Structures are given as C-alpha cells and as structure tokens.
Amino acid sequence: KKGQQNQDLISTMSGYPGYNPGQFQQPKSFPQPPNPQYGAAPNGNGNQQPMMPGTGFAPPPPGQGMPMASQPPPPGVSGGMPMTPGYGFAPPGQSGGPPPPGGPGQGPGMRMMNAPPPPGAGPGPGFGQGPPAPPGPGMPGVPGMMMQQPPGTAGLNSAMQGMNMNSNQPHQPNNVFQPQPPGGNMGPPHPSMSMGQPMGQPQPPGPSHPNSNSQFYGGGAPAPYPGAAPKGHGMGPVGNAQPTFVDQTVDYSLQIPKSIFRPTTTVLPATAAMAQSCKVPTGGIIRPFADPEDGESINVIRPSAGGIIRCAKCRTYVNPYVAWVDNGRKWRCNICSHENETASAYYCHLDAQNERKDKMQRPELSSCVVEWIAPAEYQVRPPQPPAYFFVIDVSAAAAESGMLTSTANAIKKSLDELPGRDRTMIGFITFDTSVHFYTLAEGSSNAQMMVVGDLDELFVPAPRDLLVYLKDAREAVDNLLDNLPTMFSKNTASASCLGPALKAAYTVLKSVGGKMCVFQSIIPNLADGALKSRENPRLMGTPDEVKFLRPASAFYRDTGLEFNKCYISVDMFLFPSQYMDVASLSEMPKVTAGSMHTYVAFDPGRDGPKFESQLYRRLTQPIAFEAVFRIRCSKGMRINHFYGNFNIRGQDLLSLPNCTSDSIFSFDLMHGEQSLNKPFVTVQSALLYTSSDGERRIRVATQAFRLTTRQSEFMASVDSGAVAALLSKQAMNVGIKSNLDNARNKLQITCVEMIRASKEGDKRTVSGYSVPSAQPGNESEDKKIPENLELLPLYTLGLMKNVAFRGGTDVNPDERIATHMGLSTMFVEETLSFLYPRFFAIHSMDSQAGLPVNDDDAGDENVKTAGRNMILLPNAINLSVESLSSEGIYLLDNGIDSFIWVGRASDPAINHALFGAESLSDVDMSQIYLNSSGNDVASRVDSIIQSLREETENGASSVASRIRIVREGDIGAESRFFWNFIEDRAQFNGGTYSYQEFVQFVNSPKQAQGAPPAPMGRGPPGQGPPGAYPGPPAPGRSGPPPPGPPGPNPSGYGAPPPPSSGPPAPNGYGAPPPPGPPSGNYGAPPPPGPPSSGGYGGPPPPAQRGYGVPPPPSSGPASYGAPPPPGPPSGGPPAPPRSYGAPPPPGPPQNVGMPPPPRY
C-alpha cells in the first residue's frame, strides 16, 4: 500500500510546471550506490561536494548514520518508512541496495536519480552541508525522533509528521494567511521545507495528476548562460562557492524615466578588459527628486505589517529584478545574490514563469520608480516644519545696484507658494559692517530690528521670534519686505561681514534645519570669513591659473559642513561688480547641497526678470528636506566617484539637507571584478527624505543593464549626450585637481578612443584575451562614425571651447567657477544646449515661427517645437561666423543667456519692431531693450525665447532669460558672443581646431598633421586628407542644425572671412580696445553718453573692463582690470567685414605654425 502511494506521488510530479517527461529518462532500476566518499554533485560554480546518490543531502558523519531498514519507524511518524543508507527512503523489505525495478520508492523529501529536481529545492538552508534550520512557527517537534540525521534535514522529517499526501484538503485562495492555532495545522512555509508542500497550507495552484490531489510548483529549464544551474537542485553553496543563478526572464524595456536617470550606456561590458579598451565613461546622471515625463505619477506604497521589504545583507529594496526561489518562500537579491526569507504577510504563489501572480498589483515589483512611506524606524527625529531663512547684504553696493528691491519683490511674490502651507517658518537677517536681527512677534504688524556690532563676540539678542510661522507674522513680513529697499537706500557702508552673519543665522536655524538664501554684492572683508583679492591677470592662461580656481580659505567649507549636520542648505546669489573670490564662496553651497547663481554688474531692467524668476523657482518648487541618498550596484561592479553638490558620509551615503528637481548627481560605474558571471547588472538609488507635509518617504529607482561580450553591441548602446554630460563633470574635477590643459586633453583623448573603439568592431578572444586582427591597421579609420556617436566630436569640441575649459587670458576666475557651478547642476538636455547653443536667423524666419503649431503638424518629426504650447521654432543655422550677414538679425540661446546680434545694415522696420529704433548705430546700448509685445515680430520673438526656457518634463516655473543685445562692431560684447561659435577656430591650446578639422582628426588621429593640436599662438593644425565628416546635428530644442556646409560659403567651417573692398570696420573683431586707463569696475554699467563697446551685461565704456572684454595695454598694478601678459586673447574669430559669407580668395591653406591673420 505504501509503495502504491509512492507510485502515485511520482505520477503526480509529471503535472507540475517545468516537468518534461521526455527530458529525463526513467531507469528501470537504480544502480548500486557508490562509495559515499566519491559521490558528488556539481554546484553552480563547478565545484563539487560529497553527497549520497539519489538524495540532496551530504553523507552523514561516521558514527551518525541513518537507521537501517530493519528498525521500526519512529513513534509518531504516520506513514513513515525505514531509511536506507544512500537513498533516504525505501519500500519495506529493502534493507540495502537499490529499490526493485519499476518500483522506485520515493516519498516527500527525496528524489530519484535522473529525475527532475523536486519543486523548490533551491540552494539555501536545509540542503547541502548547511546548518540545520530551526523549526518554523506552528511546526511541532516530532516526539520520539531519536535517530541521527544529516545536517539540514531535521525540519524535513518534522514537516512530514502525520502527512497523508492523498488526503483531500480544501484549497485556500492566494494571499490569504490564516493564523494557525498552537499545535494545529502548520504555519507559513518554512525555509527548511523546500521539497514538497505540507498540507494545511495555502497550496499554489497548478496542474495535478488525476489520481492525486497534491499540487507541486517550481522547477524550470536550465539557465542558458555559463555558471547557472537548473532551478530546483538541492545543492546549496559550499565554502567559497557562489550561489547558482535562477533562470530569470528580465524585462529590459522596464527603465527609469529619462527625465530622472540618463545612463551613458544601456548595455555594459561583461569584462573589465573591454571597458578599459573602449574608454567609454560608464555611469549616469540622475536627479532623484524629479517627476516622470508626460505627467506620469510615481506610485506611493504604504508598507504592510511586515514593513518595507529589503535584503537582509545589503539592504537593497525589493524591485522588479529580484528572483523568486523555493516556491516563493525566498527571494534572491539582484544586488548581492543573498537569499531572503519571504515574510508570511508578503507570500504569494508563483506562476509557470516563476513570477509572482500578484506582480502587476504590486508597484514595487512592476515599476522601476516607487515611493515608500517610511515607518518610524527611518526617523532620527520627528519631521521638522519647512523653514526659510534669508541672509541679505545691505551694503552700499547692494542698495545702489537695485539688488535689494528685486530681492524683496521676489520673496514677497513667493510667500503664498512656499511649500508647507501653515507649517512654513520664516526669518531674516541683514548685514553690512554689523549684523541686524529682526523679531517677528505673533500678531505684530511691524518687525523690530536689533543691531549687533561686536563681530568678535557675536550673540543672538532675542531667543524668540527670530524664526516664526509665516501664518502668524504675515503682516510683519510683508511690511519688512516693503520697507527693506528704502531702509538702506542711503547706506554708505562699503564692507561686508558675511562670516558673522552666517554664524548668527546658523544659531537661529540649527534646531530646525531648512533652506537658507544668501545674497552678497561685494567680497566679504570683515571678521571671520574675510577674503582678499588675489586676482593676478598675468597668470591667466598659464598652468598656475588653477590656483585661483581653488578656495583660498577653508572657512566656508568648514562652516558648510556644520550646516550640513543640522540639515541646513545654502543657496547663494552673487551680484559682483568686481572680483569676489567665488571659488572660496562656492564651497558652502557645494557641501550643503545648495546652488549658486551669479549676476555680474546687476541691472534691474536687464537682469531683474531672470533673478526674480530664479529665486521664485528655488523657493516654490517641491523640496525634499533632511535627505540622504545612496546608489547601490550589483556585486562585481562599484560606484567609483560621485559628482554634484553634497557631503558624503562614509563611502557612498550622500547627505543632502535639501533636494529638489534641480539637484543633479552623477556617478562613475566601474568593474570591481575582471569578469562578471551573471546575465545582468542592477543599479538602484534610494532617496530618504521628509516631504513638505512632514511625511518621511523613500523614493527608490531601479534599472537593470544587460551584459555583453561583444564590443560592437556595447558601443552601439552609447548615449553620446549622456556621455558629454558626464564628461563635463569628470573634466571639471580633473581641471581643479591639476590644470585646464589636462582637462581639455582628457576630453579629446576620450573622444578619439571612443570613436576608435566604435570602428574596430568585435574582437576574437581566447581565454579572455583579444587576438590581434590581421586586417590592415588603417581599415577602421576609413569606416564611418556610428550614428549614435556622430555628435560626440561636436559636443567634445563644444566642451573644450566652453567657458568652463577654454584657454586664453580673457576668462575671469570668478566667471569660470560660476560656470563650473552651473554646469555641475545641469541635466543632459541643459548641458547639450549650453555646449551647442541654438542659433536662428530672425530676419528670415517663417511667418508661422513663434506661433503654436497646428494639431496636424504636432506629431511631425521634422517640425521643431519648444515649450508647453509647442511653439514653432525657426530653422537652426550653423554656429559659425560664416552664417552671419550684416543685413541680418540673429538669436542665439545657450540655456543661460540669449544674445541678439544686430547687423549694421539690418532692416530698419524689424529694428523698430524689436528695439523701438530704426538703427542702433548712434544710440546708447545701455538704454536699448527688447520689446516683448506691441507688434507681430516682437511677440513671436518673445514667444520663441520664452518657449526655450520652459520645462515640459517637471512642470516647474521657468526661469526668464537675460537678453544681451549685441551691435555689430562692439568689440567687448561681440567677443563674448563669438565664444559660442564652436565651429570656428579659437586661439588657445586645444581650441585651434575648426569643427571640420576636429572631425578629421578624430577619424584619423594618426594621419592628421599637427596632432595633437598646436599650442596657443602656433595656429591650427595642418589639413589632413579630405574625407566625409558628419554635419551638425538636426535642428531641435537642444541640437545643432542639419548637415550641410555652413552658411552660403562653400569653403568649409571656420574659414576666416575674406577681405572686403569697403573700408575696414572700426575696431575689428578680436582687436584690442582703444587704450585707456585701467579700471577696477567689474562690468559696471556705462555712464550716459555716446555709444561705446559693450561688456558682460551691458556695453561699458572703453576704459572699463567686464567679463570677456580684452584688457587695455597698461602697466598698472594687478587688479581686476589689470592687463594680461602679452599674447593673443581667446575670444572669437577674426573680424568679419560688412559682407559675410563671400568665397575665400584662391590659394593654399594657411601655413602650419602661423596664426590666422586678422581680416578687415
């Protein structure tokens, strides 16, 4: 009778998913068991361990064998059978040797040789040589069980107590776990029971044999990749053996939205050797608090009684890429491969594909981005209310520039939109040569100012009412902001005590934390944190220039670290009119996860809209308070470096007092092992934060990357835009640590090596090493650049000529650091727009440009639009001087500033429509502003500029653009305008290539003459052999114009303009300004009078020098306006004549080693 039961059980196994009767040949009889010392079964790594044939258990130690068949069954074991050494169970009468032919005795807990593994017999406790698992809840011990058992089998026999496999038990529905009475039915599945399902538990549905009511599930086909073993084998990892992999189907189309995460590649190399050979900067750019694109929402999960499901070893959050093993009782972490027990409240049955049946009902298992509501154990302290504290410079420079008025207007405008509603707190401090505190008592209509002049022993005069709830002191706050500009309008203080003011604000805010906004107009020069001017123009353009890019004082970094500990983030708004040592001041927003914005020579009419909209955005956008951020990756990979504004704790925990949708972080993903024996790699980020409503949450984003051994497949997955964005962060790090030349070299070498690797194709490997190809060495150079990398040389050249990295003597250290701070917080789209600005011809744009597109054209890929209203953009043109014409008006937008270049012979009607004057030749440019309405042309141009600023991904308020009007012939303004013409040559080391020449060099670096590029002053490299090169990218929101020759000139990109028959233009392009006395004014607005050459932020008089204005010849003392050392500046191409785009004169190209002569 017992034999018949066992036969029915074997027949039942043919019905569970994954069992293929034709795959396993059933022997007529079992062979004699070999010597246990030599029996072995392979594990997942090919290692072997002793085992007993026909079972999943290791042999018992000597002297602790199983009882022989002649022994009676232990008391209390219903239906038990005597055990036979080597086989576990045997029919009665078989005391040794194999079972009789045709009647293999196999009960629960054993399997036949050559038969499919029993369901759920995966690696883990209870099998192999692991320690015995403790009995689970509801599992009574087996009375009278005295025999010795192999390790890991104690729970198995206890689970079989009183079991009748043919009993008819009612089936319980999915996800229903009833508490079991003591001594009654068994509790939730226990990890030690992994071969068969005990009765009295919710049984997974599945096909069953007609003669049996038992149900089995699990199993599966062997994995197709090396090192993987079929699911269900009972051999667990032993010693240093790695766990076997489960045959898992991964949906690689399930990805984090691109508005949140942009990896540089979608496929990763399986070996470190391939990654090193291709030189691709693997990693990604992530903004963890951004919203998904297309208005999608992130699923919010409230954890059940079992809490948030995480890996017990590496603390990874459960995600769509975990593997469910052991019939769903365990899940294998996709980061560290650790097997975790499934909580009873989280248990669910698996389907035929080994996926949970409730997968689509659980966002954490079906979505890449989810948000958990964190329980109390994730809180160090109760959530604090959102607090905003303003530290404002009220010195004479701040009052005279109009900064105080714009600051008060922006703060007052944002009060109704501050996150937190009734929980929001607010406070103010102003400073000049002393610190001014403001008490905002509840119910009072006016703020009371208290002045502390002792900066050495600063104290807080009032312990209360310095930080109050906005709803309780709204009237006093409004009155303070209304009166703030007039209170200090006649202030004559020319010094600033920023350091003591920061300490005072820290004392007030440290118990709560929050956001601090600092507004500074001059260099701090009193008490703690005082800085000195260290500008030395004679070192500009030399390797020693990097000294000015490093902080001169550790005060602001040390103070920022203290702020970070109290969860205080600092946003700095700087309004310099002269040198301020931005490198030292920027350390505070860096380590407090803040931001920095600079407005040189602040003009309320020109800069006010941008500043006010920028401050309004920073105050009203959703903010994650008291945040920490961590990125995990699969075993075998490692995060090598992080980029962005943060303070790192330990090795990988980023401390972020504030995190917004503008918070950008980048990281390098490197190989930690030489080869990865797995099918995919996972990267998971987790942001733990407090919402403005006081709720603690965790935003988790997970994505899997397929591994490949084919170089061509890896290179085809490269995202050139994301690579350029990550390269910009890496190059800034190199430039600060060494010098700018090394940063430019890194950019160039990386581009050349990536193009080379993309052309090589796949390599034949033997034992993991590549075999040299027998093909000619220059065959790959003749191949075309792959389509996904065609724009990489253009973006690389844009980086090398960008303000952040360009050489020369006319880039001020403050401006370069300000650009670094902006570039470090740019996402991919913003970075590309900054590297290759959008350039349009306004005078010849289509009549529909600047208007919303029709519904019929909305889906047309050839129709380029921008903004939420889908404004039609004009056709983009090349960034070259050859695209200019004296009869035209052009718009250039780089994502930060908008330039409007007006030719001498432009249409008077268009000039009058845009500027209110028919000609700009005899007007004061400081009084010229762009009209935004009043006529059709002005309205359409304004719509184009506004649409380029709108962000459709996150729906946040857009930042207005600062519009710079450049008149043809204004040297200072044009030099900065020409910095954006990256397709032309520049005169500094690494910038002498035109776009055509750089593409030729990248395609054939060995054949190009003059490679690497000639140093500054030696001219461009020689012309290599002509060849096809990719044109600029297709026109779009952030892309360059379509392929083709630049402008009407067929001579190629970047050729110097030819001589003109007319008289030379006054002060041609690139020529030094007329001599005059040096001035220390840092971009100050010009005095009223006749027009003069422009500067950064307005056309200053010739004697003044702003950002980008070539210095006058002088031998004065070193200051901000001091002359640079002799040498050509780096700003812009030679002077264009009145007629642009004429064909060049016949003759050979310019001699190598000679700079291109200026043309007039």
Side-chain angles (χ1 to χ4, degrees):
K1 180 177 180 180
K2 296 181 184 298
Q4 182 62 34
Q5 290 180 353
N6 294 331
Q7 184 62 39
D8 292 341
L9 177 62
I10 296 172
S11 300
T12 302
M13 294 179 63
S14 63
Y16 74 84
Y19 177 76
N20 184 0
Q23 183 177 359
F24 301 96
Q25 182 178 2
Q26 303 290 343
K28 293 183 178 180
S29 61
F30 284 101
Q32 291 289 342
N35 189 333
Q37 297 296 328
Y38 299 98
N43 60 17
N45 287 331
N47 299 330
Q48 305 225 343
Q49 63 180 22
M51 63 175 292
M52 301 186 71
T55 72
F57 307 110
Q64 298 182 6
M66 301 180 185
M68 302 300 294
S70 59
Q71 295 176 322
V77 179
S78 175
M81 294 179 292
M83 307 186 71
T84 303
Y87 290 99
F89 290 93
Q94 300 291 334
S95 58
Q106 182 167 354
M110 59 172 289
R111 64 181 176 91
M112 302 184 306
M113 295 183 66
N114 298 327
F127 294 94
Q129 295 181 341
M139 294 174 56
V142 182
M145 184 71 71
M146 301 299 296
M147 61 182 182
Q148 298 289 335
Q149 303 182 49
T153 62
L156 183 64
N157 283 334
S158 63
M160 296 168 54
Q161 177 184 3
M163 291 174 56
N164 185 352
M165 299 305 295
N166 287 331
S167 62
N168 189 6
Q169 296 288 341
H171 177 69
Q172 298 185 13
N174 293 344
N175 293 331
V176 176
F177 295 87
Q178 301 291 341
Q180 304 295 332
N185 292 332
M186 296 174 58
H190 191 268
S192 63
M193 302 183 301
S194 52
M195 296 176 64
Q197 191 77 9
M199 303 303 295
Q201 291 299 305
Q203 301 295 317
S208 60
H209 194 270
N211 297 328
S212 174
N213 292 325
S214 301
Q215 295 174 335
F216 293 82
Y217 60 99
Y225 47 87
K231 290 185 295 183
H233 283 284
M235 296 303 301
V238 212
N240 60 355
Q242 299 292 334
T244 59
F245 292 102
V246 176
D247 183 14
Q248 182 180 0
T249 302
V250 179
D251 184 8
Y252 295 105
S253 64
L254 196 63
Q255 297 181 353
I256 302 174
K258 288 187 176 181
S259 61
I260 298 177
F261 178 52
R262 284 286 294 272
T264 57
T265 62
T266 56
V267 177
L268 291 176
T271 63
M274 181 191 297
Q276 180 66 23
S277 173
C278 295
K279 304 295 183 182
V280 177
T282 54
I285 300 94
I286 185 171
R287 44 180 178 184
F289 202 61
D291 293 329
E293 51 197 5
D294 300 330
E296 299 179 3
S297 59
I298 297 177
N299 293 307
V300 180
I301 307 171
R302 187 174 296 275
S304 60
I308 299 177
I309 309 301
R310 302 183 65 180
C311 176
K313 181 178 180 181
C314 69
R315 308 302 294 161
T316 295
Y317 295 84
V318 69
N319 58 81
Y321 306 107
V322 301
W324 299 94
V325 297
D326 199 3
N327 300 336
R329 302 181 185 94
K330 299 179 182 179
W331 60 276
R332 178 170 295 137
C333 177
N334 53 314
I335 298 293
C336 68
S337 301
H338 177 72
E339 289 190 356
N340 299 268
E341 302 290 338
T342 303
S344 60
Y346 200 72
Y347 175 78
C348 181
H349 302 280
L350 305 183
D351 57 17
Q353 287 75 35
N354 271 355
E355 297 285 351
R356 288 172 60 109
K357 289 193 171 184
D358 64 346
K359 176 178 179 179
M360 302 311 298
Q361 286 73 42
R362 291 190 176 274
E364 69 273 20
L365 302 180
S366 57
S367 301
C368 283
V369 183
V370 295
E371 200 161 82
W372 293 87
I373 297 178
E377 56 263 26
Y378 288 84
Q379 299 179 6
V380 178
R381 62 177 182 176
Q384 301 297 307
Y388 297 84
F389 206 84
F390 301 95
V391 181
I392 306 173
D393 174 19
V394 293
S395 62
E400 294 172 0
S401 66
M403 180 269 285
L404 286 180
T405 302
S406 296
T407 299
N409 292 340
I411 296 175
K412 188 173 181 180
K413 179 182 176 182
S414 63
L415 291 180
D416 293 329
E417 306 294 334
L418 292 178
R421 296 186 292 273
D422 293 342
R423 302 175 63 248
T424 305
M425 304 186 75
I426 196 169
F428 295 87
I429 280 181
T430 59
F431 64 96
D432 44 24
T433 57
S434 56
V435 180
H436 319 137
F437 297 84
Y438 297 87
T439 59
L440 303 168
E442 182 179 354
S444 175
S445 60
N446 293 298
Q448 181 181 358
M449 183 175 71
M450 294 172 289
V451 180
V452 177
D454 189 352
L455 303 180
D456 295 330
E457 298 182 4
L458 190 68
F459 64 95
V460 178
R464 300 177 56 186
D465 299 333
L466 295 177
L467 182 66
V468 298
Y469 287 101
L470 177 60
K471 64 180 180 64
D472 297 333
R474 178 60 185 269
E475 186 178 0
V477 171
D478 288 339
N479 290 334
L480 173 62
L481 294 174
D482 291 337
N483 297 325
L484 187 62
T486 58
M487 288 169 57
F488 299 95
S489 60
K490 297 182 179 180
N491 192 358
T492 59
S494 59
S496 171
C497 60
L498 176 60
L502 291 174
K503 289 186 174 181
Y506 169 77
T507 304
V508 177
L509 199 59
K510 64 180 181 180
S511 61
V512 179
K515 177 181 287 293
M516 182 185 299
C517 296
V518 178
F519 306 88
Q520 182 73 18
S521 295
I522 59 177
I523 186 171
N525 51 15
L526 289 179
D528 294 335
L531 299 173
K532 297 181 179 180
S533 177
R534 53 189 178 124
E535 183 187 19
N536 186 0
R538 299 187 181 277
L539 298 181
M540 305 307 296
T542 69
D544 291 336
E545 178 185 359
V546 71
K547 296 178 180 178
F548 306 132
L549 308 181
R550 299 168 182 163
S553 171
F555 172 83
Y556 293 96
R557 178 177 177 84
D558 295 342
T559 304
L561 293 176
E562 295 298 322
F563 278 43
N564 189 293
K565 294 177 182 179
C566 297
Y567 301 102
I568 302 173
S569 178
V570 177
D571 288 343
M572 272 195 171
F573 298 86
L574 305 181
F575 307 85
S577 58
Q578 56 186 2
Y579 179 77
M580 284 187 66
D581 198 355
V582 177
S584 298
L585 297 176
S586 64
E587 291 296 304
M588 177 164 285
K590 278 183 183 179
V591 298
T592 60
S595 63
M596 194 183 71
H597 310 275
T598 305
Y599 308 89
V600 180
F602 182 77
D603 177 11
R606 202 178 306 274
D607 301 285
K610 179 179 179 179
F611 163 61
E612 293 182 21
S613 60
Q614 183 71 68
L615 180 57
Y616 177 84
R617 176 188 174 94
R618 294 296 299 176
L619 294 178
T620 60
Q621 64 185 159
I623 300 179
F625 296 94
E626 302 176 323
V628 289
F629 182 60
R630 172 174 276 134
I631 300 179
R632 298 176 174 90
C633 61
S634 295
K635 184 179 180 182
M637 303 292 291
R638 59 187 175 90
I639 305 296
N640 187 53
H641 201 281
F642 293 96
Y643 308 93
N645 296 343
F646 55 82
N647 178 41
I648 191 166
R649 298 178 184 175
Q651 295 182 348
D652 59 349
L653 184 65
L654 309 186
S655 176
L656 313 174
N658 286 176
C659 184
T660 69
S661 59
D662 294 333
S663 300
I664 309 295
F665 307 98
S666 307
F667 62 92
D668 296 330
L669 186 62
M670 310 287 288
H671 280 71
E673 299 177 357
Q674 289 300 317
S675 61
L676 301 177
N677 189 19
K678 58 183 66 176
F680 66 94
V681 164
T682 312
V683 174
Q684 182 181 89
S685 69
L687 177 72
L688 172 64
Y689 72 96
T690 301
S691 68
S692 58
D693 295 329
E695 191 173 47
R696 200 73 170 151
R697 292 190 174 191
I698 309 170
R699 181 171 293 192
V700 180
T702 314
Q703 183 164 326
F705 296 86
R706 185 167 53 87
L707 296 179
T708 182
T709 57
R710 298 175 53 196
Q711 181 169 312
S712 61
E713 186 179 18
F714 171 53
M715 296 304 299
S717 71
V718 174
D719 182 349
S720 58
V723 167
L726 183 58
L727 271 177
S728 67
K729 277 72 171 175
Q730 294 177 347
M732 284 188 293
N733 190 52
V734 172
I736 296 298
K737 289 184 176 180
S738 56
N739 56 65
L740 296 177
D741 286 337
N742 290 341
R744 291 191 293 268
N745 290 338
K746 174 181 175 57
L747 295 171
Q748 180 173 295
I749 291 174
T750 302
C751 178
V752 171
E753 291 297 323
M754 288 181 59
I755 299 301
R756 173 197 57 78
S758 67
K759 294 182 176 183
E760 286 182 347
D762 299 326
K763 296 181 180 180
R764 188 168 62 92
T765 59
V766 175
S767 300
Y769 296 93
S770 60
V771 178
S773 174
Q775 299 178 352
N778 59 349
E779 180 174 338
S780 63
E781 297 182 356
D782 298 332
K783 295 182 179 179
K784 184 181 178 181
I785 298 178
E787 182 177 359
N788 64 310
L789 296 178
E790 280 186 348
L791 300 183
L792 183 61
L794 183 69
Y795 295 146
T796 303
L797 190 63
L799 274 172
M800 295 169 62
K801 296 184 179 181
N802 190 269
V803 180
F805 304 105
R806 68 182 297 117
T809 62
D810 53 354
V811 182
N812 187 270
D814 281 358
E815 184 182 13
R816 197 184 297 275
I817 289 297
T819 305
H820 282 193
M821 292 294 293
L823 195 58
S824 65
T825 56
M826 287 184 184
F827 202 55
V828 178
E829 306 300 334
E830 292 83 354
T831 302
L832 300 185
S833 296
F834 188 52
L835 300 183
Y836 195 95
R838 289 157 285 195
F839 193 32
F840 311 104
I842 298 300
H843 62 282
S844 60
M845 65 180 180
D846 187 79
S847 60
Q848 298 299 317
L851 301 176
V853 297
N854 300 325
D855 295 338
D856 298 336
D857 298 333
D860 190 351
E861 296 181 355
N862 297 323
V863 177
K864 302 303 178 183
T865 62
R868 303 182 184 95
N869 297 326
M870 300 186 67
I871 300 298
L872 179 65
L873 297 177
N875 294 328
I877 57 179
N878 294 96
L879 284 175
S880 172
V881 69
E882 300 298 327
S883 300
L884 295 176
S885 171
S886 292
E887 291 78 18
I889 300 177
Y890 300 87
L891 170 65
L892 185 146
D893 184 271
N894 61 10
I896 296 179
D897 294 321
S898 295
F899 296 85
I900 295 182
W901 188 87
V902 184
R904 295 190 187 98
S906 55
D907 189 348
I910 300 179
N911 289 339
H912 187 272
L914 294 178
F915 314 111
E918 294 184 355
S919 176
L920 302 184
S921 58
D922 296 324
V923 298
D924 183 4
M925 293 300 295
S926 64
Q927 305 300 321
I928 296 297
Y929 296 93
L930 179 67
N931 296 330
S932 60
S933 60
N935 56 79
D936 176 70
V937 176
S939 299
R940 291 194 290 137
V941 171
D942 182 71
S943 297
I944 294 172
I945 296 175
Q946 296 302 326
S947 66
L948 296 175
R949 287 290 180 270
E950 292 178 353
E951 296 185 359
T952 57
E953 294 83 4
N954 291 288
S957 61
S958 60
V959 177
S961 177
R962 175 176 178 174
I963 300 175
R964 305 176 184 274
I965 301 174
V966 181
R967 179 178 54 190
E968 182 182 3
D970 285 350
I971 303 168
E974 281 190 322
S975 67
R976 177 166 303 279
F977 173 70
F978 285 131
W979 283 3
N980 296 279
F981 283 3
I982 65 171
E983 298 180 28
D984 292 333
R985 296 173 179 173
Q987 297 181 16
F988 61 86
N989 187 17
T992 53
Y993 282 127
S994 68
Y995 177 50
Q996 180 186 14
E997 294 163 346
F998 187 71
V999 172
Q1000 291 176 350
F1001 169 72
V1002 169
N1003 272 310
S1004 305
K1006 296 181 181 180
Q1007 298 180 7
Q1009 301 179 17
M1016 182 177 63
R1018 296 186 181 179
Q1023 298 287 342
Y1029 62 94
R1037 295 182 56 197
S1038 59
N1049 185 8
S1051 62
Y1053 286 27
S1060 172
S1061 58
N1067 296 333
Y1069 294 125
S1079 172
N1081 292 339
Y1082 184 69
S1092 58
S1093 59
Y1096 190 32
Q1104 296 175 341
R1105 183 190 177 206
Y1107 276 151
V1109 181
S1114 173
S1115 59
S1119 65
Y1120 189 81
S1130 66
R1138 292 189 177 187
S1139 176
Y1140 296 87
Q1150 298 174 0
N1151 295 329
V1152 178
M1154 296 293 293
R1159 303 295 183 102
Y1160 299 100

